[in-house]
Amino acid sequence: MTNAGNGFRMHRPDPVSGSPPGEAPEPESCEPEILGPDAELDLSQDPATREVERTLARLDAELVGLAAVKTRVREIAALLLIDRARARFGLAAARPTMHMSFTGGPGTGKTSVALRMADLLHALGYIRKPLVHSVTRDDLVGQFIGHTAPRTKEALARAAGGVLFIDEAYYLFRPENERDYGQEVIEILLQEMETERASLVVIFAGYPDRMETFFSANPGLSSRVAHHIDFPDYSHGELMVIAELMARGEQFTLDPGAVTALSEYLELRMARPRFANARSLRNALERCRLRQARRLVDLHRPLRRTELITLTAADVYGSSVFRDADPVPVTEDGAGRRDDGDDP
């Protein structure tokens, strides 16, 4: 079939000159003719397919590992592509629910996947714009009567046509406090997730055990979330790959000694409290850069380009993790050394 015969008009391209920032042009007004039962439809000719593949390739490039997460994202993209194809044949289907739950530890890529998911849903015409509006409890829950509803509705208005990403969503539910206003947020979300499902996707995110309690206590909310996606902690090997990518992205390189030292650092740091996966790793590399800068300045001589881009074993071994082999005590409220476990 030719491109004209495919008629995938649900696709909304990127904004063009003259369009308001962040908004896509209006879709074409005329819908393509319904195809006959013996017609053939080439999905590769759908312009949205090409954008989906580019987005998935970007997801693969940005995130190490997470094979199960990436598989689920591909399945969701495939479902929406097939729904578009069914519509071309006049096959009716209920609009699939895209509200999601991302569970996993800190630094496991939940926010990054939410951003790519918004790109996918926009490319497939499911949402009007590739927007992710991120909020926490503090953005939604008020401090007094009548304060919560306006804050929550403002957040929903900002996310309209895109994705509302609620991080640490379980903090909305505090059964120990009868006067807490978090339940009001949940009630508003329940209503909006159902009535505005054609213009809004909500993604709840947080630690697995706490999210399980959160959804168990709010069955109405759980029933509206179609996709529960688990983000596992990164392995030591995956973190080493991520470290190389992070350094390269900042135009740094780890010499062989630094690679060995960083491997030892991760073995120690991963065993300490409050390790935050890629987030802790990024903090550790930032501190390596601080130690490198101090080391180079103290040379008091002209510097070569190679020296400016190279992190050495000395820059890694300067971490407090190597100086303090004892476990960091953690209080009942979870407080302890800052989450990267490095120099204060």
Side-chain angles (χ1 to χ4, degrees):
M1 298 183 66
T2 64
N3 288 354
N6 283 337
F8 284 107
R9 303 296 176 83
M10 293 171 63
H11 170 65
R12 294 180 173 88
D14 291 333
V16 294
S17 178
S19 300
E23 293 187 9
E26 290 296 322
E28 298 181 36
S29 57
C30 58
E31 290 296 326
E33 294 182 4
I34 299 298
L35 298 176
D38 296 327
E40 292 183 350
L41 193 64
D42 186 354
L43 291 178
S44 67
Q45 297 303 311
D46 183 349
T49 299
R50 295 187 288 275
E51 286 200 24
V52 166
E53 289 303 324
R54 282 195 290 268
T55 301
L56 292 173
R58 185 176 177 185
L59 185 65
D60 283 333
E62 289 177 345
L63 295 178
V64 173
L66 299 179
V69 173
K70 293 174 181 177
T71 295
R72 188 62 175 275
V73 172
R74 285 186 174 273
E75 290 173 347
I76 291 171
L79 170 66
L80 295 179
L81 280 170
I82 293 300
D83 272 7
R84 289 161 62 86
R86 285 174 55 88
R88 290 291 290 113
F89 283 95
L91 299 171
R95 180 181 174 90
T97 300
M98 285 292 126
H99 301 310
M100 305 177 192
S101 170
F102 289 177
T103 56
T108 51
K110 297 186 292 297
T111 302
S112 296
V113 172
L115 292 170
R116 299 289 76 79
M117 186 63 73
D119 290 339
L120 285 175
L121 296 176
H122 173 254
L124 291 163
Y126 193 91
I127 55 178
R128 296 194 307 272
K129 47 192 175 183
L131 163 75
V132 176
H133 181 52
S134 298
V135 297
T136 63
R137 173 189 165 88
D138 290 342
D139 300 302
L140 303 174
V141 180
Q143 302 300 314
F144 49 83
I145 295 175
H147 193 206
T148 295
R151 292 175 67 120
T152 302
K153 290 178 180 178
E154 179 184 359
L156 288 165
R158 288 178 176 272
V163 174
L164 178 65
F165 183 82
I166 306 177
D167 199 13
E168 297 184 314
Y170 39 76
Y171 283 131
L172 295 176
F173 179 66
R174 290 183 172 175
E176 71 281 0
N177 186 352
E178 296 180 357
R179 302 183 64 181
D180 185 71
Y181 300 118
Q183 188 61 38
E184 185 177 355
V185 175
I186 295 173
E187 291 170 0
I188 295 173
L189 288 173
L190 282 170
Q191 179 180 351
E192 295 295 317
M193 288 168 65
E194 186 63 30
T195 61
E196 301 298 326
R197 57 184 295 186
S199 62
L200 176 71
V201 171
V202 179
I203 299 178
F204 300 93
Y207 299 146
D209 54 344
R210 297 184 184 182
M211 290 298 287
E212 178 65 27
T213 301
F214 173 65
F215 282 120
S216 297
N218 298 277
L221 197 59
S222 180
S223 66
R224 287 169 172 77
V225 176
H227 304 281
H228 293 260
I229 303 176
D230 181 57
F231 289 68
D233 288 335
Y234 287 112
S235 68
H236 178 278
E238 288 171 337
L239 288 168
M240 289 300 296
V241 174
I242 292 171
E244 293 281 359
L245 292 174
M246 286 181 174
R248 190 185 311 158
E250 298 293 332
Q251 294 188 303
F252 281 89
T253 184
L254 299 163
D255 71 11
V259 171
T260 299
L262 186 61
S263 177
E264 295 175 14
Y265 168 89
L266 283 174
E267 289 179 359
L268 293 172
R269 182 64 189 92
M270 291 172 72
R272 295 168 70 95
R274 302 179 68 184
F275 178 66
N277 291 281
R279 189 183 305 167
S280 288
L281 178 59
R282 181 174 295 281
N283 289 341
L285 289 175
E286 286 295 325
R287 285 170 173 75
C288 287
R289 290 180 57 185
L290 287 173
R291 289 187 285 270
Q292 181 225 33
R294 184 175 60 199
R295 173 174 57 81
L296 294 178
V297 168
D298 287 346
L299 293 175
H300 299 293
R301 62 166 175 76
L303 300 172
R304 296 184 296 274
R305 179 180 185 277
T306 302
E307 293 174 304
L308 294 173
I309 66 173
T310 302
L311 298 176
T312 68
D315 302 324
V316 181
Y317 283 129
S319 167
S320 63
V321 170
F322 293 101
R323 298 195 300 270
D324 182 11
D326 295 329
V328 177
V330 179
T331 60
E332 292 183 359
D333 62 359
R337 190 187 298 273
R338 56 192 302 172
D339 71 353
D340 53 52
D342 208 333
D343 299 313

